Amino acid sequence: MTLVRSLLFSLWLYLSMPLFAVLLSPALLGPHGWAMGVIRAWARFVLFGLRWIVGIRVEVRGLEHRPTGAALVAAKHQSMLDVVAPFTFLDNPCFVMKKELMPLPFFGWFAWKTRMIPVDRAAHAKALKDMVRNTRERLADDRQIVIFPEGTRTRPGQPGDYKPGVAAIYRDVSVPCHLLATNSGQHWPAKGLTGFKPGTVVFEFLPPVEANLKRIEFMKQMESRIETTSTALLLPR
């Protein structure tokens, strides 16, 4: 039964992308808020299917630490849900994402319209410079910049390899860094169309890391706190 539900939800998820993209594509011709509204509606549609088809609900904790207005958010990355769910609980999120995703139908079209931050990882120093510059511009528009410091999805309980890009942004913009832990990978598989497991996915905001720490101290605090909380969210095996 779990396999059947996983396949049904995968169908729900991947058909919803072109459905929303085609039916609501006129939003691409309007202001930023229209396109963001489409993404937000799609995200809620996905979470609705997630709950009623495979029995996975999403809970957000630590709302007293949830940023509003311009903010930098470093988030744990275990599944695709980490990219979908924040559109339902952040006011105006802006993701730092791989440039390779920009040409994709639906995802790329609306990412371009809503001014997400694409990163060409092959460009190295130039990519880092562009990422910092784009972050400053988006913060000026009161966006919440969401970056996955690990750069890719990791298995639940597996320590992440935290990259220095987030430290470069943190140093340049001189703002506190909000932290977001999760156990999403325990219920939504990192890869494949099966393996969805009923239960509760938790996204938990932690107290932010204060601004203007030295790079080593910032990286240490960020990684330790995200990893400790994400591990604590995992159910006993």
Side-chain angles (χ1 to χ4, degrees):
M1 183 59 73
T2 300
L3 174 60
V4 173
R5 289 184 174 185
S6 292
L7 292 174
L8 285 175
F9 174 70
S10 294
L11 190 64
W12 175 281
L13 172 67
Y14 289 106
L15 287 182
S16 71
M17 294 182 185
L19 179 66
F20 273 74
V22 173
L23 295 182
L24 300 178
S25 59
L28 294 169
L29 302 176
H32 166 87
W34 290 13
M36 185 61 72
V38 171
I39 299 175
R40 202 180 305 279
W42 172 73
R44 289 172 177 158
F45 184 83
V46 171
L47 295 194
F48 177 83
L50 190 64
R51 180 164 185 172
W52 294 107
I53 296 174
V54 290
I56 299 174
R57 59 186 296 267
V58 172
E59 177 183 344
V60 184
R61 299 177 184 172
L63 288 173
E64 67 273 20
H65 304 302
R66 181 180 70 92
T68 57
L72 175 63
V73 181
K76 182 68 178 172
H77 195 20
Q78 294 181 348
S79 74
M80 181 180 172
L81 184 58
D82 307 333
V83 181
V84 178
F87 286 104
T88 68
F89 56 74
L90 287 175
D91 295 336
N92 197 0
C94 175
F95 283 86
V96 177
M97 56 185 284
K98 295 185 294 185
K99 186 178 181 180
E100 294 87 345
L101 297 176
M102 294 301 285
L104 294 179
F106 177 75
F107 204 94
W109 304 343
F110 282 86
W112 170 80
K113 180 62 181 181
T114 54
R115 303 186 71 210
M116 301 300 165
I117 300 176
V119 176
D120 182 1
R121 293 185 291 187
H124 303 296
K126 182 179 183 301
L128 187 59
K129 182 178 179 180
D130 289 344
M131 180 174 65
V132 170
R133 174 178 53 80
N134 286 326
T135 296
R136 287 199 304 266
E137 293 176 358
R138 306 303 187 272
L139 288 173
D141 293 331
D142 284 336
R143 307 287 298 275
Q144 296 88 50
I145 310 302
V146 182
I147 183 170
F148 299 116
E150 298 156 289
T152 189
R153 289 166 285 193
T154 57
R155 295 177 183 274
Q158 175 185 335
D161 179 15
Y162 284 66
K163 306 296 191 297
V166 63
I169 294 176
Y170 168 82
R171 180 191 62 220
D172 185 84
V173 300
S174 298
V175 298
C177 182
H178 295 261
L179 308 178
L180 184 61
T182 189
N183 64 342
S184 64
Q186 195 169 43
H187 301 281
W188 184 311
K191 296 180 180 179
L193 304 179
T194 61
F196 292 88
K197 299 178 181 178
T200 301
V201 169
V202 177
F203 289 94
E204 182 168 349
F205 286 103
L206 311 178
V209 177
E210 63 183 284
N212 301 315
L213 293 179
K214 296 292 185 181
R215 173 176 167 174
I216 294 178
E217 180 61 23
F218 164 69
M219 292 294 291
K220 180 181 177 180
Q221 282 199 33
M222 176 193 64
E223 179 175 351
S224 175
R225 290 162 60 182
I226 291 176
E227 289 297 315
T228 298
T229 304
S230 295
T231 298
L233 291 174
L234 299 177
L235 298 175
R237 296 185 182 278

